[in-house]
Amino acid sequence: MHVEWHVEDAVVASVAAHAARAVPGVARLEPGMAGLVRGWGRSRWQQVKGLTPAPADGVGVRRAGDDVEVWVGIATRAGTQAAAVARAVQREVRARLVRDTGVEPGRVSVTVLDVVR
């Protein structure tokens, strides 16, 4: 028997967002301009379909065949080392995606867009 499965991008984004928020030093996720447009479009599509939008603002997912790329925009807390927090977010997002969805991203990019006091 052959079983084929596919994890939707919205699920990948939601799991990545949850993982990123759990990293110490992350104040919040930041969508940036492209993320705002993407998030608005996703929310509208989910509303039309009658779905509850998954909390994934600040996360983008792109697929090319079996390759999955994930982008995360974050705001770090003042007094933390932004680069160290970004690396921790990369590790946590990758590990959580593999563990919770079976999706192994080819790339996880993290951008620090703000520092919060």
Side-chain angles (χ1 to χ4, degrees), residues 16 35 56-57 117:
D57 289 342
R117 294 196 184 279

Side-chain angles (χ1 to χ4, degrees), residues 5 8 15 18 20 26 28 41-42 58 66 68 78 100 103 110 115:
W5 57 274
E8 289 291 324
V15 170
H18 185 72
V26 173
R28 65 176 179 265
R42 181 175 51 241
D66 289 336
V68 177
D100 293 355
V103 171
V110 179
V115 176

Side-chain angles (χ1 to χ4, degrees), residues 3 7 10 15 19 25 31 38 49 64 71 75 79 90-91 94-95 104-105 110 113:
V3 176
V7 178
V15 170
R38 222 178 12 256
K49 293 289 191 177
W71 292 276
Q90 280 181 311
R91 285 190 303 271
R94 179 179 301 282
E104 187 163 352
V110 179
L113 294 167

Side-chain angles (χ1 to χ4, degrees), residues 9 16-17 26 31 43 51 55 62 66 68 70 81 84 89 93 97 111:
D9 291 352
V26 173
S43 292
L51 305 170
R62 190 183 97 188
D66 289 336
V68 177
V70 178
Q81 191 178 61
V89 169
V93 166
L97 284 173
T111 305

